[in-house]
Amino acid sequence: MRHLILGAALALLLPLSAQAQEAGDAAAGEKAFAPCKACHAFGKNGVGPNLTGVVGRKAGTLEGYTYSAALKGSGITWDEANLKEWLKDPKAKVPGNKMVYPGLKDDKKLADVIAYLGTQK
């Protein structure tokens, strides 16, 4: 009986452990975001749009930035899943967008950058 209870407890904890590993580290994400600063800032538009409050925002809707028709028409809201797909391969996520970034392939850095973006409200 003890083994059954221990096994059930472990089965319940494994998904929590996996979720903790998937959650990003915002401090590490700030460092991983450094190359993005060439085009993006917080609080103002640059080559790319202002990323303040990007998490939860509908793609292509920030006033004062000229988005591609593809991104404006994508219907995407920038949640964690969409940001992960976008940052991994922007051209695959929204063909015809104007972002020239080839993508961030490291899953840990992706999670970290997304966690960092989530702190920029």
Side-chain angles (χ1 to χ4, degrees):
M1 181 71 167
R2 189 179 312 168
H3 293 287
L4 181 64
I5 292 170
L6 182 58
L10 286 174
L12 290 173
L13 292 176
L14 284 175
L16 295 175
S17 175
Q19 286 175 353
Q21 289 176 351
E22 291 174 13
D25 175 350
E30 183 175 10
K31 292 176 185 167
F33 183 81
C36 308
K37 291 179 180 177
C39 297
H40 292 282
F42 298 102
K44 65 179 182 176
N45 291 322
V47 172
N50 170 4
L51 294 180
T52 301
V54 70
V55 178
R57 183 167 68 211
K58 187 172 177 180
T61 61
L62 183 69
E63 287 291 319
Y65 186 79
T66 306
Y67 292 93
S68 66
L71 197 58
K72 285 195 285 187
S74 69
I76 292 171
T77 296
W78 295 123
D79 60 15
E80 187 175 333
N82 281 320
L83 281 166
K84 184 176 181 179
E85 290 175 13
W86 170 261
L87 293 172
K88 193 166 217 167
D89 191 348
K91 295 295 182 194
K93 178 68 176 169
V94 182
N97 81 76
K98 66 182 186 177
M99 188 160 137
V100 296
Y101 182 67
L104 180 59
K105 307 307 181 200
D106 182 312
D107 285 336
K108 173 69 173 116
K109 286 184 179 179
L110 270 171
D112 293 345
V113 168
I114 293 166
Y116 174 61
L117 290 174
T119 68
Q120 302 301 307
K121 303 183 189 260

